[in-house]
Each structure stands twice: as structure tokens, then as C-alpha cells.
Amino acid sequence: MTGKDATSISRIGEKSGSEAAVRGWLYNRRSSGKIQFLIVRDGTGYLQTVVAKSEVSPETWAEAERATQECSLVVSGRVREEPRAPGGWEMTVTDVRILGPSENYPITPKEHGVDFLMSQRHLWMRSSQQHAVLRVRSEVSQAIRDFFYEREYTLIDSPILTGSSVEGTSTLFETDYFGEKAYLSQSGQLYLEPAAAAFGKVYCFGPTFRAEKSKTRRHLTEFWMIEPEVAFLEFDGLCDLAEEFVTYLIARTLDRSAEDLARLERDTSKLEAVERPFPRITYREGIERLAAKGFPIQFGEDLGADEETALTEGNSRPLIVSRFPTAIKSFYMQPDPEDPDVVLGLDMLAPEGYGEIIGGSQRIHDLELLERRLAEHKLPREAYEWYLDVRRYGTFPHSGFGMGLERFVTWMCGTHHLREAIPYPRTLKRIYP
Ligand code: 4AD
Ligand code: MG
């Protein structure tokens, strides 16, 4: 049997009591004299297959003995229910065929350092925990698209090669564009604002780039961002949207990724506890609370990872911090009419120390103010003429936010470092594999 009519392991239950073949890789094996247990994985699940010396031909027995970790193979036999086996099914083997041998697979069941594992990322993703995290990522991505689709947003893909910076000039990746300077996109926002005037409610979802020189567990140089932008939406509505979005994604993850979260031993009661409304405080309230906790932050200073963790301590829900000092936020943020030293920007901080997952704001819709801000931030006016057009032709209040996919997935999975939440992480020191 070549496995052409192979069953995927996730559907093996449909073959209960009958013959089936599975095609995949040898995940693990155990033998006890006259019985070999071959654990096969095919990407959709794991199946324990049992080879009994007394029931198979000597060739099949020998072939099973030759099967080493991560060789590809086809295993055929009878499927039966076995509550003690992983997944609940077991196969009594009649035939084993090795398709591709695998000698000295570098990742063994012993402990390896993360640096080594990251250099083997192309293989490490076969391991059960990494596999689970990336499946959660896939589910979350789908949930993100469904959320916006169900609410009649139009998907507007923003460009990756850009001529203007959004989030400051210190983290730009520069590249030559036929003799002109171009940058890898830091955010699709500037391209979404004009689209909001064309379509009303829009979003983009794609890779973004930041030349982050800092080596932290929360920063990648390439990460995926989901960004909605909505015409006529003002700041309070934006906070509501961010809250609705996050609770939707959590419910979907708990529903569709239960098996993977269990594999990751995620304490899902912590995620089930996330309900609306989320607590909301202003930056000014935040620094007062921090002062009481022994963090002497002055107005105008940014909140670091330690401050974020201190602010969310004891919270079961994310915290929305709003109204940051104008000087520490991006040029496009709308000033608060009631407190002109601060802007209508928000950061959503996840509980359990996962930090900022969302950053967003109401945008400046007044042409003159925006021109002034560009000058204050020493941004080259010519590169933003097209963006200013949004204010020249039928300006309107509008708001949007960005959520880092890896930040969210890391929180869902309860993993420590962002680098495991993306298939091929790019960090300060890593562009291989
Ligand atoms: O707060 P940020 O910089 O906001 C923007 O880029 C806005 N233009 C978005 C918008 O309003 N449309 O980034 C948004 C989110 C952060 O909250 C964080 O989740 C994620 O993007 N993020 C990163 N994730 C991984 N690695 C990095 N280096 C990240 N920088 C930001
Ligand atoms: Mg931010």
C-alpha cells in the first residue's frame, strides 16, 4: 500500500472497526519484546499503532524495527477504540512501509537549548508543543478574518514597500528602490485611512517590520499586525471595538483550539475569566497608581514592561490605558479636547504579564494640526502629501488600532517568548533558517 487512500489521523475515528492506512512520520516509538508501538503523526494528530510479532510477517516486523524518529512511512491495519491511547484510537498493524528514512534526527527527546532549537526551527515545528502553538496561530488568524468579515469590513491589503514612516524613524528598515529610498512597512495605517474614506470600515492583516535593536521577549523585527480603521468612529467607540475584538478572539480560541491549548498545558480558566467590560484608566491615573507601587514615573515618561506588568497585576481582564502625553506618541494622534497635553490613544495591556497587545488612537482630522505635527516630528512633508489629502477632501473623524498577532498568540498559548508564536522568527540576531 502506498497510502494513496490514506486516512488523516484527525478522521481516523470514522474508520473504527475497519482497515485503514495512515501516512506520516514516526513521532516516537516504544518496544516491549514482541510488541512495537509506533506513534505516527501526520500533522492532523497522533496515532498509536501496535505491531505484534506474532501477527505480522517477518518483513513487516523488520521494517517496523527499522523505523527511526521522523522517518516518513505508511502504516496500515485495523482501527479500534482505545481510551488509553492518545487521541482515543489505536491501530493494530498489518503492514509498515518506510517511505523516507531519517538518520540521526537532531532533535531528540532530551532537553535542548532554545538557541539550538531555533537554529532547527524548520524541524522544531514538528515537535508537539511548537506544532500546537502554530495551529493556535492559524486558528486565531482565521478568527480575525471572520470577525471583520462578519461585521462587513473590507479587506485592504497595504503595501510592504513604502515611502513614509508611521511609527517613528528609529525602527525603519531601509532599502534601495531603484535609486530612491524605500522602507519596509511598520504599519498599514497610513494606507488604511484613505481607504476608510472610500469603504467606511476597512482592515489590513499582514507582515510589518521594525528594526528593533532591543532584545526582549516581546519584540520581533518582523511580525504580523491586524489593523482596523473606521470612518466616523471616535475614541470611546474604538475602545469598545478593541474590547469586542479581543473577547471574540478568546472565545473562538477556547472553542476551536481546546486540544492544542491542552497540549500546551495552558490554564484556560484564566482565559475564560476575560469578560467585558475591561477596566479603563488614563495614563495620568496610571502613573499615580505606579507611584503608589514604587514606580516613580513622571508625566511624559513612557511605560516599560515592568510598569505594564505592575499596572495589570491582579487583573483577570486586559487593562485599557488611554490619553498618553502627546510627546511620547505618534504624530497622527488626535489631542484630547478636555486635556490638550494628552492624545486620544490607547494601549491594551493583557493580564498575566503579557504586556501591550493593542495600540491605537483616534486620528487627527484637522489639516493644519496634522501639518504642524509632521513638522514637529521632522517628517518630510513631500512623503505625506497623499496622506494629507484625506484631510483636504472631505475630512472626517476616524479611529483605528493595531494588534500584534504574535503578542496575542503568545498570551493565548501561555508561552514565554514571542519567537515561538511565528513559524520563522526574525529577531536582532536571527535570520536563519
Ligand atoms: O503600538 P503600535 O506601534 O501601533 C501601530 O503600529 C499603529 N500604527 C497601529 C494602528 O493604529 N493601526 O503597534 C501595534 C501593536 C502593538 O500593540 C503590539 O501588539 C505589536 O503591534 N507590536 C509588535 N509585536 C511584535 N514585535 C514588535 N517589535 C512589535 N511592535 C509592535
Ligand atoms: Mg504601541
Side-chain angles (χ1 to χ4, degrees):
M1 178 172 298
T2 62
K4 265 204 213 85
D5 44 2
T7 303
S8 75
I9 292 175
S10 61
R11 299 188 162 270
I12 199 73
E14 292 168 15
K15 295 279 182 174
S16 182
S18 50
E19 296 287 320
V22 296
R23 191 167 44 174
W25 295 263
L26 185 74
Y27 185 63
N28 210 343
R29 59 172 305 141
R30 283 182 289 124
S31 323
S32 62
K34 298 192 174 348
I35 296 186
Q36 300 180 63
F37 296 94
L38 306 181
I39 316 290
V40 180
R41 55 163 203 88
D42 71 348
T44 73
Y46 302 80
L47 180 66
Q48 174 160 297
T49 71
V50 188
V51 193
K53 196 169 186 178
S54 58
E55 284 169 35
V56 297
S57 67
E59 294 74 34
T60 298
W61 179 257
E63 185 81 339
E65 282 190 314
R66 276 194 295 274
T68 50
Q69 191 189 351
E70 291 302 325
C71 73
S72 51
L73 73 182
V74 186
V75 182
S76 329
R78 183 175 287 274
V79 178
R80 45 185 188 79
E81 208 166 345
E82 173 49 75
R84 286 166 303 173
W89 304 94
E90 196 171 74
M91 178 184 275
T92 307
V93 174
T94 52
D95 191 35
V96 178
R97 285 288 146 85
I98 295 173
L99 303 174
S102 165
E103 302 298 335
N104 304 318
Y105 188 70
I107 304 175
T108 58
K110 72 165 197 190
E111 285 278 311
H112 297 284
V114 173
D115 233 34
F116 170 77
L117 290 169
M118 274 297 167
S119 72
Q120 304 291 324
R121 183 59 170 171
H122 53 297
L123 301 176
W124 193 26
M125 59 172 66
R126 301 184 187 192
S127 300
S128 65
Q129 301 238 328
Q130 297 305 309
H131 185 261
V133 173
L134 294 179
R135 286 225 307 192
V136 172
R137 177 189 171 102
S138 169
E139 282 294 341
V140 170
S141 294
Q142 187 60 45
I144 286 169
R145 295 190 188 287
D146 290 345
F147 178 87
F148 290 113
Y149 188 77
E150 286 163 13
R151 285 159 185 76
E152 299 177 320
Y153 282 62
T154 303
L155 173 67
I156 297 293
D157 299 308
S158 54
I160 288 174
L161 286 167
T162 70
S164 356
S165 96
V166 203
E167 298 302 330
T169 48
S170 65
T171 61
L172 283 174
F173 277 111
E174 195 179 303
T175 180
D176 171 65
Y177 195 74
F178 308 113
E180 266 186 67
K181 268 189 198 169
Y183 311 102
L184 297 182
S185 175
Q186 296 169 306
S187 152
Q189 180 195 322
L190 300 191
Y191 300 93
L192 285 186
E193 291 184 47
F199 301 91
K201 298 193 283 187
V202 295
Y203 77 100
C204 68
F205 186 16
T208 48
F209 305 85
R210 308 251 172 124
E212 302 274 5
K213 310 266 172 6
S214 57
K215 231 182 121 182
T216 83
R217 66 189 178 100
R218 291 181 186 162
H219 290 92
L220 297 166
T221 55
E222 178 176 323
F223 63 97
W224 280 61
M225 190 161 29
I226 168 76
E227 298 178 83
E229 191 70 35
V230 184
F232 302 107
L233 183 69
E234 299 192 35
F235 189 66
D236 290 340
L238 180 72
C239 297
D240 295 342
L241 177 67
E243 220 178 80
E244 186 190 354
F245 180 55
V246 166
T247 41
Y248 176 96
L249 294 185
I250 293 175
R252 273 281 294 258
T253 308
L254 286 169
D255 179 34
R256 309 249 177 124
S257 295
E259 210 179 296
D260 289 312
L261 295 181
R263 191 167 285 279
L264 293 164
E265 295 173 18
R266 178 65 166 116
D267 178 357
T268 49
S269 69
K270 295 246 166 50
L271 301 176
E272 278 150 13
V274 177
E275 286 178 342
R276 298 180 70 181
F278 298 173
R280 298 180 189 186
I281 61 169
T282 64
Y283 168 91
R284 287 188 195 277
E285 288 163 347
I287 58 175
E288 272 172 34
R289 285 193 198 180
L290 285 168
K293 287 174 182 259
F295 292 86
I297 299 280
Q298 301 297 312
F299 182 88
E301 286 175 351
D302 213 348
L303 309 180
D306 292 343
E307 286 81 23
E308 288 180 359
T309 305
L311 277 179
T312 52
E313 220 167 43
N315 284 13
S316 57
R317 305 170 191 207
L319 175 69
I320 296 181
V321 185
S322 67
R323 298 174 169 80
F324 292 86
T326 314
I328 57 169
K329 285 291 178 190
S330 306
F331 72 94
Y332 52 72
M333 291 195 186
Q334 173 75 9
D336 182 353
E338 277 152 33
D339 185 356
D341 294 334
V342 303
V343 285
L344 295 176
L346 76 97
D347 278 3
M348 186 188 287
L349 310 180
E352 302 179 72
Y354 284 96
E356 180 192 331
I357 50 167
I358 284 181
S361 75
Q362 185 166 333
R363 322 305 191 186
I364 292 174
H365 58 268
D366 179 72
L367 177 62
E368 263 174 50
L369 176 58
L370 191 56
E371 287 174 319
R372 211 162 351 113
R373 285 281 196 274
L374 283 174
E376 284 164 10
H377 285 254
K378 301 198 168 49
L379 292 167
R381 169 76 188 250
E382 331 73 73
Y384 296 85
E385 284 301 336
W386 65 278
Y387 177 69
L388 293 170
D389 274 352
V390 180
R391 283 75 185 169
R392 288 192 184 104
Y393 305 108
T395 197
F396 55 108
H398 59 287
S399 304
F401 65 73
M403 185 183 85
L405 177 63
E406 295 76 15
R407 296 257 178 109
F408 185 79
V409 170
T410 300
W411 172 33
M412 289 302 100
C413 293
T415 43
H416 180 69
H417 201 298
L418 240 55
R419 67 192 159 202
E420 293 178 31
I422 186 164
Y424 294 97
R426 298 289 175 247
T427 57
L428 189 55
K429 293 252 157 71
R430 184 166 296 286
I431 195 161
Y432 176 93

